[in-house]
Amino acid sequence: MGILEAFHGTHTAAVRAGYRAIDWSLPALRCDRVRVRAHTCECGEVLFEFCLAGGLSFIRRTVRHGEGVVVHESDWFVTRVVERLWEQLLRGEAR
């Protein structure tokens, strides 16, 4: 394994039939600092990040395309709820 392969991140699975639709909104800017707990691979057009801030958690979605970058966030919940949503996202059960 080469050095670059060691840094290759997690990919989300293909979206499954009957997936849970995540309600995406513009960033809330509720906190000064956000900690990224986990993220998907940056090799694709869409990057997802599991974020923690102000005692709550959320998922950030960054879409990079020809016109620029668009960032959205899921609703903010207690961490255990977002952990479940994050796992569903990775398995293709939520998008």
Side-chain angles (χ1 to χ4, degrees):
M1 176 184 291
I3 188 120
L4 292 179
E5 288 84 11
F7 294 104
H8 198 75
T10 303
H11 285 248
T12 58
V15 178
R16 296 182 181 198
Y19 72 93
R20 174 182 176 179
I22 298 173
D23 185 22
W24 298 107
S25 304
L26 293 175
L29 304 173
R30 296 188 211 189
C31 295
D32 294 339
R33 291 172 289 189
V34 173
R35 182 169 70 98
V36 177
R37 178 174 170 183
H39 61 86
T40 60
C41 189
E42 293 201 36
C43 70
E45 183 177 286
V46 181
L47 170 70
F48 295 99
E49 297 170 300
F50 184 120
C51 300
L52 297 101
L56 297 173
S57 298
F58 63 96
I59 297 174
R60 180 187 296 145
R61 177 184 69 182
T62 302
V63 180
R64 298 171 287 207
H65 47 73
E67 295 82 45
V69 176
V70 178
V71 178
H72 288 99
E73 296 176 352
S74 69
D75 290 332
W76 292 40
F77 297 104
V78 294
T79 300
R80 66 180 164 73
V81 172
V82 179
E83 286 172 339
R84 204 170 316 129
L85 182 59
W86 179 253
E87 291 298 323
Q88 291 172 334
L89 177 80
L90 294 179
R91 291 190 306 258
E93 298 168 0
R95 198 59 49 107

